[in-house]
Amino acid sequence: MTLGRKARDKRPRVKPVERIALPEGNTALRAAAAVVFLVIGVTLLVYAASRLFAVDPGWQTIEAGASEGTTCGDEFVFSYELGAGEASAAAESRGLKAVYTAACRKAYQLFHTLESFEGVVNLREINLHPNETLTVDEGLYRAFETVQRSGERTLYLGPVYARFENVFSCIDDAQLVEFDPQASEDVRREYEAMAGYARDPEAVNLRLLGDNQVCLEVSEDYLSFAQREEIDRFLDFGWMRNAFVADYLAEELAKNGYTNGFISSYDGFSRNLDSRGTGYSQNIYDLVDGVTYPAGVMEYDGPMSIVYLRDFPSDELDSRRMYQLRNGELRTTYLSTADGRCRSAADNLICYSKMAGCGEITLQIAPVYVADTLDASALEALAESGIHSIRCEDWVVRGTDPALALTNLYENEDVRYTASLG
C-alpha cells in the first residue's frame, strides 16, 4: 500500500552526524591500546590452545585411538604414570597412545576367529587352511609355543565354542535348547563328539615348524566330520583369549620402553609392567549365598601377572561370556575338554606369578579350575613352580604364598574374615 501525500511521516527525527576532530595524541593512544589488547587476545588464545592439548603428569588412563580401526581396547583398562621419565608427559602420551593403539589393533586381528584381515595370518586363516603351512606373526607364534609347552588342549575346542557362544545371545531360557548341552540331549552328544576330537592329537594338532611357521594338521576322519557338521573353526582360545592378548600388549609396550603402568581386562587378566617398586593392590572378593564380600586386598610391587577367574557377573561386558537362567544358574565360557560343558570349581580364584605370563598361568590353572571340585593339592603343586593362588573358603582367605601381603580383611557385626597363608 502506498502512503497518501497527506499521511504523516512517523519516522523518528535523527540528528545529523557531527564530525568531531580528536587531537593526534588521542589517536596514538588508541592505537597503542589496540595493540595491547591484540597481544592480550593472542596470548589468551595461545594459552587456551596449549591447555586444550596439554597433558598433566601423573596417572592417566590410556585409550586406544578410535580412528585407527577396530581394536580390543574396549576390553582392557590401561593405566600409566606419564612424565615419570625423561620425556614430558605430553610427548610420552603421544608416543604411548600410538604404540598401544597399534598393539590393540594387531592383537584384535591376530586372535580373531570370525574375520580375515588383509596381510594378516590369524586364527581365522589357520582354521580355513588345514594341513597347509602358514607363516604367522611372532606374537601369535609365541602364544602357540606357550600352549604347546603346557600340553593343554582347550585351544582345540573351536567347534564347541562356535556353537556354545550363541548361548550368550539368548534372551530367553527356551532358546538354550539349541546350544546348551545341559538343556538338550542331542546337543550334549554333539559336544561330546567334538570334545573327543579336541582331546585327540592324532585328530587335530597345530605343528610348530620354527621361523613362525605353523601347520594345522587335521585327520581325514575329522575333516569329514567337520564337513558334515559345517565346522570351520578348529582352533579358538575361547575364555583364555584375553590372557594371551594381555601378554601380547605387555610385550609390545615393554619392547617400546613403556613400563610405568599396568593393564587389565574386564574378564580378569592383568599385567603389571612397573619395576620401580611402586605399590599396587588387587582386591579379593568372595561370593557367599549370592552376596559378594570384599574379603581383603593383596598388596604387591614389581612386575606381576594376575589371573582372576570368577563364575559370576560383575561387569556389564560379562554378558559376552555369561548367561544367567531364571532359576539363577549360570552358563559361562569355562568349557571342559572332557565333554564340552561349562564348569567352574570355585566362584573365585586368583592366581599370580612374578615370572610367568597370563597365558602360561591360565593354561596351568585351567584343568584345576574347569572342574567339578577344586583340588587344593594341585594349587600347592603350582605354588612350587612359582604360580601362587588365593581363594576364599568359609570366611577364610587362603593363600599358597606365605609372604603374601594381605590387608583390609573384611569384618562387620555378622562376618569376619581371617587369613591362612602358606
Side-chain angles (χ1 to χ4, degrees):
M1 178 176 68
T2 303
L3 292 173
R5 285 182 294 178
K6 294 184 178 180
R8 184 179 177 182
D9 188 351
K10 297 182 180 180
R11 292 175 295 176
R13 293 183 179 275
V14 180
K15 292 182 179 181
V17 176
E18 297 183 21
R19 292 182 176 274
I20 302 175
L22 293 175
E24 291 185 3
N26 288 349
T27 303
L29 186 61
R30 287 192 305 166
V35 171
V36 171
F37 285 123
L38 177 62
V39 171
I40 292 174
V42 171
T43 301
L44 289 174
L45 286 173
V46 171
Y47 176 77
S50 66
R51 291 309 302 164
L52 181 63
F53 297 103
V55 177
D56 294 325
W59 285 99
Q60 304 283 348
T61 298
I62 309 299
E63 297 182 352
S67 63
E68 303 297 326
T70 306
T71 74
C72 62
D74 68 324
E75 298 186 16
F76 286 84
V77 174
F78 179 29
S79 297
Y80 199 86
E81 187 175 11
L82 295 172
E86 297 181 358
S88 68
E92 191 171 40
S93 176
R94 288 192 297 271
L96 179 59
K97 185 168 184 176
V99 170
Y100 181 60
T101 298
C104 285
R105 183 176 63 251
K106 193 62 174 292
Y108 175 84
Q109 295 175 350
L110 290 175
F111 291 89
H112 214 294
T113 57
L114 299 177
E115 188 176 349
S116 297
F117 303 90
E118 184 176 357
V120 178
V121 179
N122 61 0
L123 284 173
R124 172 68 172 169
E125 290 299 307
I126 296 172
N127 282 324
L128 293 180
H129 297 87
N131 299 313
E132 296 182 28
T133 298
L134 301 173
T135 301
V136 302
D137 180 89
E138 181 181 359
L140 186 56
Y141 193 85
R142 286 197 299 270
F144 289 146
E145 287 181 317
T146 304
V147 173
Q148 188 179 69
R149 287 194 300 269
S150 72
E152 173 62 33
R153 300 284 298 178
T154 301
L155 176 66
Y156 300 100
L157 282 176
V160 183
Y161 283 116
R163 182 80 176 275
F164 187 77
E165 65 190 15
N166 289 287
V167 165
F168 311 121
S169 299
C170 291
I171 59 176
D172 187 84
D173 291 2
Q175 297 174 312
L176 295 179
V177 71
E178 297 290 331
F179 316 109
D180 183 6
Q182 293 174 251
S184 167
E185 186 66 23
D186 289 338
V187 174
R188 183 187 65 79
R189 286 193 293 267
E190 291 173 11
Y191 282 20
E192 287 179 348
M194 291 186 286
Y197 283 113
R199 293 193 305 272
D200 184 3
E202 296 296 322
V204 57
N205 191 60
L206 184 67
R207 192 152 61 96
L208 306 184
L209 306 173
D211 295 325
N212 299 329
Q213 291 187 320
V214 302
C215 179
L216 176 60
E217 298 176 332
V218 184
S219 69
E220 289 298 325
D221 177 56
Y222 193 9
L223 284 174
S224 297
F225 175 83
Q227 186 174 13
R228 291 193 306 271
E229 299 297 325
E230 299 181 338
I231 291 171
D232 63 1
R233 193 193 307 184
F234 299 98
L235 303 180
D236 192 333
F237 281 94
W239 64 272
M240 300 182 179
R241 179 176 64 91
N242 277 342
F244 292 92
V245 171
D247 287 342
Y248 180 86
L249 297 178
E251 289 161 6
E252 290 298 302
L253 291 167
K255 185 170 64 177
N256 286 275
Y258 297 111
T259 58
N260 295 339
F262 66 93
I263 185 168
S264 59
S265 71
Y266 81 97
D267 49 352
F269 304 104
S270 303
R271 284 290 302 267
N272 187 349
L273 305 174
D274 197 342
S275 59
R276 298 172 298 169
T278 304
Y280 291 86
S281 62
Q282 169 68 53
N283 292 328
I284 303 168
Y285 296 100
D286 187 24
L287 182 67
V288 182
D289 297 330
V291 178
T292 302
Y293 294 90
V297 177
M298 165 189 173
E299 307 282 355
Y300 71 95
D301 63 73
M304 184 81 76
S305 300
I306 300 176
V307 173
Y308 188 175
L309 305 180
R310 55 181 168 81
D311 68 353
F312 60 93
S314 67
D315 188 284
E316 61 181 18
L317 293 180
D318 283 329
S319 61
R320 300 180 182 184
R321 65 191 194 101
M322 295 183 183
Y323 177 89
Q324 187 166 23
L325 284 72
R326 287 191 298 269
N327 63 7
E329 292 183 12
L330 280 164
R331 300 291 183 263
T332 72
T333 53
Y334 299 124
L335 302 186
S336 171
T337 55
D339 53 14
R341 292 177 55 175
C342 63
R343 288 182 170 83
S344 51
D347 293 318
N348 295 273
L349 181 64
I350 297 176
C351 297
Y352 60 94
S353 173
K354 287 185 172 292
M355 302 300 294
C358 287
E360 182 178 347
I361 294 173
T362 303
L363 290 165
Q364 293 298 323
I365 201 63
V368 181
Y369 186 77
V370 186
D372 293 321
T373 57
L374 191 64
D375 186 350
S377 63
L379 295 178
E380 294 169 1
L382 285 175
E384 295 178 2
S385 65
I387 298 176
H388 287 285
S389 62
I390 304 171
R391 68 189 191 277
C392 296
E393 292 179 349
D394 300 324
W395 313 113
V396 178
V397 180
R398 301 185 183 277
T400 58
D401 182 4
L404 173 65
L406 191 60
T407 64
N408 293 0
L409 290 173
Y410 179 81
E411 63 177 293
N412 62 20
E413 295 179 355
D414 304 313
V415 172
R416 181 176 181 270
Y417 279 86
T418 60
S420 176
L421 305 179

